[in-house]
Amino acid sequence: MPETPNISDAEWDVIKVIWDSGPLTAGQVVSALEGQKHWAPRTIKTLLSRLVKKGMVRCTVDEKRYVYRAAITRQQAARRETKSFLHRVFDGALVPAVAAFLKESDLSPGEVEQLREILEREGKR
């Protein structure tokens, strides 16, 4: 899997809009974010441009408007980010990472059961 480009928190906010509602014009992305963020339209367009340069978003011209589409799925980005995090913080070791998350979480009995089922399924593979 190719290396994940560094994506800022602001860039994640922008690409999430595209995943949820894309393809979108720059104006539509601005409109979608104006209720959530206090960013100028130019800031959002800069973030879109950065995402294009990083290969996370594709841009085409349609009737003189720029249209943005995700170049990577949310699931692919999550996998890449998870692997990057594991390598940076836990030297790639999954068990200490999961243990750290579990110690910091207040899981419901249902969530514990879901995790147990996942572990059992994975153990059978």
Side-chain angles (χ1 to χ4, degrees):
M1 181 171 283
E3 188 174 316
T4 305
N6 282 334
I7 303 296
S8 70
D9 289 345
E11 290 166 341
W12 280 106
D13 290 337
V14 172
I15 198 168
K16 285 176 187 176
V17 169
I18 295 170
W19 281 325
D20 291 342
S21 305
L24 298 170
T25 65
Q28 290 170 318
V29 175
V30 168
S31 294
L33 287 169
E34 69 186 351
Q36 303 171 24
K37 304 291 178 181
H38 300 290
W39 296 334
R42 186 73 213 138
T43 300
I44 296 169
K45 291 175 183 175
T46 298
L47 293 168
L48 283 166
S49 176
R50 288 180 187 168
L51 287 166
V52 169
K53 287 179 185 173
K54 292 177 180 184
M56 301 294 286
V57 170
R58 290 193 184 99
C59 179
T60 57
V61 179
D62 183 26
E63 298 179 20
K64 299 182 184 180
R65 297 183 310 173
Y66 291 103
V67 178
Y68 296 89
R69 292 172 175 75
I72 183 172
T73 67
R74 188 184 302 250
Q75 293 79 15
Q76 289 169 320
R79 276 194 302 271
R80 288 179 176 187
E81 188 70 15
T82 300
K83 285 183 179 185
S84 174
F85 174 78
L86 278 175
H87 286 286
R88 282 183 286 119
V89 180
F90 293 97
D91 295 324
L94 180 60
V95 173
V98 171
F101 283 118
L102 290 174
K103 288 177 185 174
E104 294 299 319
S105 300
D106 187 21
L107 297 174
S108 71
E111 291 169 324
V112 171
E113 184 57 32
Q114 284 179 323
L115 289 172
R116 185 174 286 119
E117 289 171 9
I118 291 168
L119 289 171
E120 286 176 13
R121 226 180 9 253
E122 292 299 314
K124 292 178 183 176
R125 288 197 317 158

